[in-house]
Every structure is written in structure tokens, then in C-alpha cells.
């Protein structure tokens, strides 16, 4: 089992990596700490583990009052994914990736106190940048006028079959907010334009 935690995940070589299992509390603490660029690392990530990235247009999402998209005074709330982590267990025919992500939700000037639920999509791509599967989920955070920033964290697993002749490191797992349709960009990420090439 290999593991790591940072602002964006990266691969490093280590035959005997230090293992620190991903937990929602660990990710929640990292999100609240608001580390600068580069984040904080926990353990190391062995070479060959599929990368886990936030897709290019999925780092944040802003919800506006209806008909006022783009108006800063009409923001209801804004969600941000700020930390990611992954572990993996590799066998000859498949790799199990345990991934986690965390972030925050900010109450905007037109937002209402209470629970805020935002849609998130996680998907896997192969070495040809083809999407293999996707899972839609939500994150829910409570915000109030007195405490206008709420934090979330999620940890899940995905099993990726590895065809003969392929390597686990050629696969990638992406996460990102799903933009609301009213923004005009409420489409799923395209493999050509929306993948984060820089991790």
C-alpha cells in the first residue's frame, strides 16, 4: 500500500514507502490548515500508482442567483477543492486506488445560512485519455452568518482493471465539481480540453 497527501498528488520513487492511511479527518485537518503552494506530504507515493488529480475546470464552482451569473454581488456560495490524497494497492490484473479530497464552501453575499450541497464527479482515464467510468456524488457543508466557511472531506475507493500490456501508472483518476447548467459551462470535462496537464 502506498499513500500520500498534498495540494496535488505526484509520484515519487520509494521501494519501502512510509504508509499513512488516508482518513477523512486527516484531509479535513489539511483543508482547514490552508497550507501554501505545495501543501503538506504524508508518507511517500511509490512509482506506478495512478495519479489522482483535480481536473482543470473542477477546482472550484460558484453558484449565483438565477439570471445573475458572473455578478460578484449575486454569489450564493463558492466551493473549492484544496487538498487531494491517494493510496493504491497493485496486483497483476488490477489496481485499487483509495482516493480522498477535501476543501471548503464559502457563503456569498446572497447565500442563505444552512446546508449547502454541491455536485462532484470522479472519473478514471486510461493511457489513451479515454474515460473508463465515472461516479457522481455530492458534498454537503453547513455554513452560517457567524461561520461563513464550512469544510468537507471525502474518502472512497475505485478498482481499475489493468489490461495485459498496460501499466497502472498509465491510468489517472480525476475529481472536480460539476458546474451548474445555468452557468453555460455545465458540461462534463472533455478529455481534450479540461484535463489538468500539470496535476
Amino acid at each position: 500500500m502506498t499513500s500520500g497527501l498534498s495540494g496535488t498528488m505526484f509520484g515519487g520513487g520509494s521501494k519501502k514507502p512510509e504508509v499513512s492511511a488516508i482518513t477523512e479527518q486527516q484531509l479535513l485537518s489539511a483543508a482547514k490548515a490552508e497550507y501554501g503552494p505545495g501543501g503538506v506530504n504524508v508518507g511517500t507515493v511509490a512509482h506506478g500508482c495512478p495519479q489522482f488529480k483535480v481536473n482543470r475546470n473542477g477546482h472550484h464552482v460558484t453558484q449565483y442567483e438565477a439570471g445573475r451569473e458572473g455578478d460578484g454581488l449575486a454569489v450564493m456560495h463558492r466551493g473549492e477543492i484544496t487538498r487531494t490524497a491517494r493510496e493504491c494497492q497493485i496486483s497483476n490484473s488490477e489496481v485499487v486506488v483509495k482516493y480522498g479530497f477535501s476543501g471548503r464552501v464559502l457563503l456569498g453575499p446572497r447565500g442563505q445560512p444552512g446546508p449547502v450541497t454541491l455536485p462532484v464527479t470522479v472519473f478514471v482515464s486510461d493511457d489513451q485519455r479515454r474515460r473508463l467510468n465515472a461516479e457522481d456524488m455530492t458534498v454537503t457543508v453547513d455554513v452560517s452568518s457567524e461561520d461563513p466557511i464550512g469544510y468537507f472531506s471525502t474518502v472512497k475507493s475505485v478498482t481499475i482493471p489493468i489490461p495485459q500490456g498496460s501499466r497502472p501508472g498509465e491510468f489517472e483518476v480525476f475529481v472536480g465539481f460539476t458546474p451548474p447548467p445555468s452557468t453555460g459551462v455545465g458540461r462534463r470535462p472533455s478529455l481534450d480540453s479540461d484535463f489538468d496537464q500539470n496535476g
Side-chain angles (χ1 to χ4, degrees):
M1 191 76 78
T2 61
S3 67
L5 168 66
S6 68
T8 54
M9 294 309 304
F10 56 92
S14 178
K15 293 183 179 179
K16 295 183 179 179
E18 176 187 350
V19 174
S20 180
I22 299 169
T23 66
E24 290 188 3
Q25 186 57 49
Q26 180 190 62
L27 281 163
L28 196 62
S29 297
K32 291 180 178 180
E34 298 191 15
Y35 293 97
V40 58
N41 296 324
V42 177
T44 57
V45 180
H47 178 72
C49 183
Q51 292 193 56
F52 179 48
K53 302 178 179 180
V54 182
N55 71 57
R56 181 177 296 162
N57 292 330
H59 285 87
H60 56 80
V61 64
T62 304
Q63 293 188 336
Y64 299 89
E65 280 189 323
R68 298 183 64 186
E69 286 79 8
D71 183 350
L73 297 178
V75 174
M76 298 177 65
H77 26 256
R78 175 184 172 91
E80 301 174 347
I81 296 174
T82 59
R83 293 289 178 268
T84 60
R86 82 186 184 298
E87 301 171 350
C88 65
Q89 188 168 13
I90 302 172
S91 67
N92 292 331
S93 60
E94 65 182 22
V95 57
V96 179
V97 179
K98 181 180 179 183
Y99 62 86
F101 59 93
S102 62
R104 61 185 185 173
V105 174
L106 296 83
L107 186 66
R110 303 300 295 173
Q112 298 295 319
V116 176
T117 299
L118 299 174
V120 174
T121 300
V122 175
F123 62 93
V124 177
S125 73
D126 64 10
D127 58 336
Q128 301 297 314
R129 298 168 63 81
R130 294 173 299 206
R131 183 186 296 210
L132 301 181
N133 54 41
E135 180 181 3
D136 294 321
M137 62 186 76
T138 59
V139 295
T140 301
V141 174
D142 284 315
V143 292
S144 65
S145 300
E146 297 76 22
D147 190 9
I149 302 178
Y151 296 89
F152 63 85
S153 66
T154 298
V155 174
K156 290 201 168 190
S157 296
V158 60
T159 299
I160 306 172
I162 306 299
Q164 187 173 4
S166 298
R167 298 189 303 271
E170 296 173 335
F171 293 76
E172 295 178 308
V173 183
F174 288 84
V175 63
F177 284 113
T178 307
S182 60
T183 65
V185 293
R187 57 187 175 84
R188 292 190 183 280
S190 71
L191 300 189
D192 292 330
S193 62
D194 291 347
F195 275 22
D196 188 342
Q197 299 300 318
N198 298 318

